């Protein structure tokens, strides 16, 4: 039987990270490769209580189909959590923020549409956009965010882009935080360019010393779609996210959502709405911040200790889950990976995160799932792999 695939199916790619993760499943490997939150942060007891209460008090409704917009109580809770005035009618509960990316892509991208992204950017967004066959263009940046001169140049270099996709807070993969000054200037530039912004913010609550500056959406609500998630503050297994859309776009996003899955699981929504009562996140999230900060510090200390003289450069993320590093000139992170895995440590090479010109020297290290002892051992192993690299190249 000869199946003929649609063009959009040809545009779909396997996630490079999944391929890397397969490598890390070998016993004894210390993995800095994954993008998973630490399971130690999952509030299992709170969910056990809420699960029982929802079934006891509301079981038949919780197990029934429900509205595509989401549970009214949860939509109110989400609106109240956000740091700018949001009408609950603008909140669409999604099946993870990954679904938000898919819905946005479906309603905004035609084949050949120009889509701008930070370079590097979140691989899962590139995967969500790819089936709509956009022309994706990367905008380079520095430690503070996208470079606005480059943005103006790229935006004006062809047909009006349909959107600019941004991660202002503790970006995946770089861990970078967009500064207040850059946010102001970016919103100004987006206004001038009439450029729609998609603001993806799964990591914003995971700050270590100070909360991040106000979201772009707070400054330009009519020109932004905001994506949020419960994955990093409660649990990714629930698949619960949300988007905040301007009133003019909301009906189309809702129709796309209905076509995709009718609604996000009613039961999960009720459980989370129950868990969130009485300010649960205000008590729970500080523990995640403290844990991740200690883990980041352990990784920074290990890098200082082990990498002296090896020419590796790295940043100091102020929140989130990832640290971004750059190998010395002449080295390629994809080629380093097998040497690292042989020595019992794994990371994700940075190249696939780049939409534009790829930098083979970059790599992403997650500091949240390994223990502090494993971080120390894993970074020492990584240093051994880096030392072995030139020898192997010369052989
Ligand atoms: C930047 C970014 N956006 C979206 C997602 C998807 O998250 P969710 O679990 O809410 O679908 C992730 C997951 O790692 C992410 O890193």
């Amino acid at each position: 039987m000869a199946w003929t695939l649609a063009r959009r199916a040809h545009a779909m790619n396997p996630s490079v990270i999944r391929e890397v993760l397969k490598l890390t499943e070998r016993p004894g490997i210390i993995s800095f490769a994954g993008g998973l939150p630490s399971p130690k942060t999952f509030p299992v007891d709170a969910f056990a209580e809420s699960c029982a209460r929802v079934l006891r008090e509301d079981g038949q409704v919780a197990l029934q189909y429900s509205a595509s917009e989401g549970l009214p109580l949860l939509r109110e809770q989400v609106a109240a959590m956000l740091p700018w005035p949001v009408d609950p009618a603008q909140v669409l509960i999604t099946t993870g923020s990954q679904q938000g990316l898919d819905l946005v892509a479906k309603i905004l991208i035609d084949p050949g549409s120009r889509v701008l992204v930070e370079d590097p950017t979140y691989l899962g967004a590139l995967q969500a956009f790819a089936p709509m066959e956009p022309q994706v263009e990367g905008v380079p940046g520095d430690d503070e965010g996208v470079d606005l001169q480059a943005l103006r140049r790229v935006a004006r270099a062809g047909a009006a882009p349909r959107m600019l996709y941004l991660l202002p807070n503790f970006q995946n993969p770089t861990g970078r935080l967009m500064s207040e000054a850059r946010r102001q200037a970016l919103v100004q530039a987006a206004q001038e360019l009439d450029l729609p912004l998609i603001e993806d913010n799964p990591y914003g609550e995971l700050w270590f010393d100070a909360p991040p500056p106000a979201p772009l959406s707070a400054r330009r609500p009519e020109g932004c779609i905001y994506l949020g998630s419960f994955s990093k503050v409660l649990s990714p297994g629930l698949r619960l996210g949300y988007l905040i859309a301007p009133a003019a776009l909301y009906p189309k996003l809702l129709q796309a959502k209905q076509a995709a899955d009718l609604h996000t699981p009613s039961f999960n929504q009720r459980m989370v709405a129950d868990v969130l009562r009485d300010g649960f996140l205000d008590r729970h999230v500080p523990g995640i911040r403290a844990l991740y900060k200690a883990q980041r510090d352990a990784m920074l200390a290990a890098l200082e200790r082990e990498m002296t003289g090896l020419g590796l450069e790295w940043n100091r993320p102020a929140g989130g889950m990832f640290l971004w590093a750059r190998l010395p000139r002449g080295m390629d992170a994809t080629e380093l990976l097998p040497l690292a895995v042989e020595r019992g440590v794994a990371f994700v090479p940075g190249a696939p995160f780049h939409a534009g010109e790829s930098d083979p020297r970059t790599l992403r290290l997650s500091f949240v799932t390994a223990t502090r002892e494993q971080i120390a051992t894993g970074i020492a192993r990584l240093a051994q792999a880096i030392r072995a690299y030139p020898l192997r190249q010369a052989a």
Side-chain angles (χ1 to χ4, degrees):
M1 170 73 212
W3 298 94
T4 304
L5 287 177
R7 242 172 53 186
R8 82 182 68 79
H10 288 290
M12 294 172 186
N13 304 307
S15 160
V16 182
I17 293 196
R18 266 176 218 288
E19 300 304 310
V20 172
L21 290 182
K22 278 191 207 147
L23 276 178
T24 67
E25 281 161 12
R26 266 180 30 192
I29 295 262
I30 295 174
S31 180
F32 304 134
L36 311 181
S38 167
K40 288 182 205 156
T41 66
F42 302 158
V44 176
D45 293 342
F47 274 109
E49 271 176 44
S50 289
C51 180
R53 188 161 38 238
V54 166
L55 286 175
R56 198 170 56 238
E57 293 176 5
D58 235 354
Q60 291 187 329
V61 186
L63 296 174
Q64 185 56 284
Y65 284 115
S66 61
S68 305
E69 291 88 340
L71 182 73
L73 173 59
L74 187 59
R75 295 170 77 202
E76 281 167 27
Q77 289 167 320
V78 166
M81 261 162 43
L82 293 169
W84 76 99
V86 171
D87 182 343
Q90 290 172 264
V91 179
L92 178 62
I93 304 294
T94 57
T95 305
S97 56
Q98 188 68 28
Q99 181 178 55
L101 291 168
D102 177 64
L103 303 180
V104 164
K106 279 182 176 148
I107 72 152
L108 292 182
I109 304 175
D110 284 315
S113 299
R114 299 182 70 220
V115 164
L116 310 187
V117 300
E118 292 168 292
D119 208 7
T121 192
Y122 170 52
L123 207 54
L126 297 178
Q127 270 194 301
F129 302 159
M132 313 307 147
E133 303 174 60
Q135 183 183 324
V136 177
E137 291 165 59
V139 184
D142 55 26
D143 292 348
E144 287 187 53
V146 282
D147 178 301
L148 296 179
Q149 260 187 324
L151 173 64
R152 288 194 168 88
R153 193 182 60 241
V154 177
R156 291 187 173 128
R162 294 289 169 89
M163 64 194 204
L164 166 61
Y165 169 68
L166 292 160
L167 295 123
N169 296 331
F170 320 125
Q171 200 224 31
N172 181 0
T174 60
R176 147 178 111 174
L177 173 69
M178 194 185 293
S179 67
E180 169 61 28
R182 191 65 57 89
R183 287 175 202 234
Q184 287 178 14
L186 175 72
V187 166
Q188 171 90 37
Q191 208 58 26
E192 279 166 38
L193 295 163
D194 205 16
L195 180 61
L197 301 179
I198 311 301
E199 179 173 31
D200 190 6
N201 186 26
Y203 302 104
E205 284 299 314
L206 308 181
W207 47 266
F208 299 153
D209 298 313
L216 305 170
S217 304
R219 303 159 199 257
R220 193 189 179 224
E222 287 310 308
C224 294
I225 299 177
Y226 179 92
L227 306 177
S229 176
F230 289 107
S231 290
K232 310 300 186 313
V233 290
L234 284 178
S235 143
L238 295 162
R239 310 306 305 125
L240 259 178
Y242 46 91
L243 64 77
I244 316 300
L249 286 183
Y250 193 95
K252 276 293 156 209
L253 288 161
L254 184 62
Q255 288 157 25
K257 164 88 183 152
Q258 279 166 350
D261 65 353
L262 302 180
H263 63 80
T264 295
S266 333
F267 183 60
N268 294 8
Q269 293 190 62
R270 263 171 212 268
M271 239 180 1
V272 167
D274 189 76
V275 165
L276 292 184
R277 288 179 324 165
D278 314 327
F280 178 81
L281 286 180
D282 294 339
R283 298 191 299 282
H284 179 63
V285 177
I288 310 180
R289 291 181 194 131
L291 175 70
Y292 288 5
K293 182 179 178 182
Q295 302 267 127
R296 177 210 57 181
D297 288 344
M299 188 167 274
L300 289 173
L303 287 164
E304 290 289 343
R305 207 169 45 239
E306 303 292 342
M307 297 294 172
T308 318
L310 294 182
L312 187 79
E313 295 163 11
W314 59 88
N315 64 358
R316 188 177 192 282
M321 301 181 2
F322 306 111
L323 189 147
W324 190 242
R326 194 150 181 251
L327 294 163
R329 202 177 293 283
M331 288 183 72
D332 180 324
T334 308
E335 288 177 16
L336 177 69
L337 184 61
L339 297 183
V341 170
E342 272 167 33
R343 286 160 184 79
V345 64
F347 58 83
V348 181
F353 296 97
H354 291 274
E357 206 177 311
S358 137
D359 182 350
R361 291 160 61 190
T362 54
L363 54 110
R364 188 190 77 178
L365 300 170
S366 159
F367 48 80
V368 303
T369 40
T371 63
R372 275 170 252 172
E373 294 70 33
Q374 287 171 329
I375 288 175
T377 311
I379 294 294
R381 291 177 182 175
L382 184 60
Q384 286 165 14
I386 294 176
R387 280 195 194 92
Y389 185 98
L391 295 177
R392 197 188 70 131
Q393 296 302 299

